[in-house]
Amino acid sequence: MSATTPAATPTVIGVPAPQEDIDAIVAFVAAVQDAQRRAHPEAFLSGFREDAIWTTAHGKRLTGLPEIGAFTRKVLPPQANSPVTATYTVDLILFVRPDIAAVKIRQRPVTRDGGRFLDEIFHGQEDPAELMAAHPEAVPGTPTYVLAKDDGVWRIAAAQNTQVLDVETLTAG
């Protein structure tokens, strides 16, 4: 499988929601992926509410757009030259209310020069601990975004980006 493989349709649960909101959320996540790949802080930050909270994959809590912005402007630009980027696929959307959605994302590390998924080295492994230690860049993520629709626009109100360390999840693919 390559990074250009079309994304599957996400599972949608919760209160009824129009297809246009589902499509808008999938497009929102695609825009996050694009901003990350281009290492473009302002494009990335445009997806946050002013009062958002964000927890990075390594547990750093950021509160409010000024703090999220300062962190992002520091760490994202150096990623432009990294040989590794990531794909973001919406797996699940839970519409809590018509204007609030919890979005589960599958984040897979991929080579920038050919789209090879790095996390495939873990698939089928009985104990991937040594591989995880030797190849931390290959460990996928499992972000959750809580999106709020304000004035017709979906933005991140809260988000948690977590590395996949669960052996069963990591090795199943």
Side-chain angles (χ1 to χ4, degrees):
M1 178 181 274
S2 77
T4 58
T5 302
T9 303
T11 300
V12 179
I13 59 176
V15 302
Q19 186 63 45
E20 67 185 31
D21 280 332
I22 296 165
D23 294 344
I25 289 170
V26 170
F28 175 88
V29 172
V32 171
Q33 173 184 285
D34 181 64
Q36 291 277 2
R37 283 184 168 197
R38 292 185 302 118
H40 192 279
E42 301 315 311
F44 178 75
L45 294 168
S46 71
F48 286 86
R49 290 170 45 111
E50 188 68 33
D51 59 352
I53 58 171
W54 176 270
T55 303
T56 70
H58 298 105
K60 183 172 184 65
R61 187 188 78 191
L62 305 167
T63 305
L65 192 54
E67 189 173 12
I68 295 166
F71 176 82
T72 300
R73 289 180 188 101
K74 178 181 174 185
V75 301
L76 192 54
Q79 296 304 309
N81 297 321
S82 172
V84 177
T85 186
T87 62
Y88 293 67
T89 304
V90 178
D91 279 342
L92 176 90
I93 303 171
L94 163 63
F95 282 95
V96 179
R97 299 186 332 210
D99 62 337
I100 302 290
V103 182
K104 196 69 200 134
I105 298 160
R106 184 175 188 202
Q107 183 185 53
R108 296 183 70 192
V110 62
T111 59
R112 200 176 285 276
D113 67 346
R116 184 175 53 85
F117 285 115
L118 300 178
D119 61 340
E120 290 180 348
I121 65 170
F122 303 120
H123 299 177
Q125 296 291 320
E126 190 171 308
D127 181 7
E130 282 187 35
L131 277 174
M132 291 167 67
H135 299 282
E137 76 286 354
V139 177
T142 180
T144 299
Y145 297 168
V146 177
L147 302 180
K149 187 177 181 184
D150 298 317
D151 300 321
V153 179
W154 289 99
R155 287 195 177 85
I156 295 172
Q160 169 81 38
N161 191 6
T162 304
Q163 288 186 305
V164 176
L165 301 178
D166 176 68
V167 171
E168 185 177 326
T169 301
L170 188 63
T171 60

